[in-house]
Amino acid sequence: MVMIFVSPCHPATPLPLSVRRLRRTVTNLLQQRFRAKLVKGKEINPKINMIRYADDFIITSATKEALESEVRPLVEQFLHERGLQLSPEKTCITHIEQGFDFLGQHLRKFGGTLLTTPSKKNTHAFLEKVRGIIYANKSAEQENLIRLLNPVIQGWANYHRHIVASDAFKRVDHEIWRGLWRWAKHRHSNKSSQWVMKRYFHSMNGRRWVFAADTGERTPEGKPIWRRLVCASDTKIRRHVKIRMDANPFDPCWQDYLEDRAFQKKFGIHRHEAGV
């Protein structure tokens, strides 16, 4: 069972120090109130946990009753005493097998396996932004349009590259291609589809229908230098590796581990695999 809370603070508003301290205070409050206890020689763990990021947080429990009758009233009272309240439209109690959205991603268990995917709302907002850029640049040069789109596409793909996002990447690539095809056809309504395809889409590195523009520059060998549209599906999925709980950057004993972890995060392989 998962309970998700989203605070009433606007996400674009920098969090004041007092609000950040408030989040830590809620965590401490839950730990003190719902700590494991010994009952007749048997340890009873209520399994109440909190995960927070900036002004968003999730509280988990093994039972729905504990969330409804104990956790939620406790948090609401705590916030009310400080002039704050939970956002009614963003606060819900749901089972993990039904899933929920958090920070633009959807978390849900399927057959006991937790899968995190880009949320439908986040994907829709991303595609609307891309369509807006394409629509606002109907008369722009192809190279300039690619310059505008590439950082948006790459940024969204990088944000989701640590989760189960391969299928979502393929879907958004197709939707972006549809938008660009309409953009190209609109510019040359009197031309055939074959002409439009040859003008704006090319075959590169074994892939067809690559939206690319000749920059006019040439390599030393005289070959044209192309500016191509980034594909979300070109971003490789790289699973996030949790840091060891006891790791301490100020302890020299952990220096090799932390350096290897930083190398793996950057290149996707361990140092010994790269021969470093």
Side-chain angles (χ1 to χ4, degrees), residues 26-67:
V26 173
T27 304
N28 296 334
L29 176 66
L30 293 172
Q31 291 176 345
Q32 295 172 6
R33 178 71 176 270
F34 300 104
R35 64 178 61 183
K37 300 178 181 179
L38 284 176
V39 179
K40 296 181 180 181
K42 184 178 180 181
E43 185 180 69
I44 304 298
N45 188 350
K47 298 181 179 179
I48 305 293
N49 298 289
M50 178 175 176
I51 304 97
R52 61 184 176 87
Y53 182 87
D55 62 337
D56 301 333
F57 59 94
I58 303 169
I59 300 176
T60 64
S61 172
T63 65
K64 181 179 180 180
E65 292 72 20
L67 293 174

Side-chain angles (χ1 to χ4, degrees), residues 193-255:
S193 297
Q194 189 74 12
W195 186 95
V196 173
M197 180 190 71
K198 291 181 179 180
R199 171 68 174 80
Y200 294 101
F201 298 90
H202 309 274
S203 296
M204 294 181 177
N205 301 323
R207 174 182 290 180
R208 300 177 60 196
W209 292 94
V210 177
F211 191 73
D214 187 345
T215 61
E217 300 178 5
R218 295 293 182 266
T219 65
E221 295 77 20
K223 296 181 179 180
I225 297 177
W226 296 86
R227 184 172 301 280
R228 62 179 292 270
L229 185 76
V230 168
C231 290
S233 56
D234 287 341
T235 302
K236 295 183 178 179
I237 300 298
R238 185 182 297 173
R239 300 297 178 219
H240 174 73
V241 180
K242 291 184 178 180
I243 192 169
R244 294 181 186 175
M245 183 176 64
D246 299 330
N248 185 347
F250 303 104
D251 187 345
C253 297
W254 289 96
Q255 182 176 355

Side-chain angles (χ1 to χ4, degrees), residues 138-155:
K138 291 181 178 179
S139 58
E141 293 292 332
Q142 183 182 14
E143 184 180 356
N144 292 336
L145 179 60
I146 293 174
R147 287 179 184 273
L148 293 172
L149 290 176
N150 275 353
V152 176
I153 298 171
Q154 191 65 69

Side-chain angles (χ1 to χ4, degrees), residues 69-118:
S69 61
E70 298 184 63
V71 177
R72 182 166 187 166
L74 179 67
V75 174
E76 288 178 336
Q77 179 183 355
F78 178 84
L79 295 177
H80 179 72
E81 292 172 354
R82 289 155 180 80
L84 297 171
Q85 65 178 4
L86 296 173
S87 175
E89 65 275 6
K90 296 182 179 179
T91 303
C92 68
I93 299 178
T94 182
H95 197 281
I96 188 62
E97 292 185 354
Q98 295 177 346
F100 63 93
D101 291 349
F102 186 65
L103 300 177
Q105 297 176 343
H106 185 74
L107 293 83
R108 184 178 178 184
K109 267 191 174 182
F110 294 88
T113 302
L114 178 65
L115 297 181
T116 306
T117 58

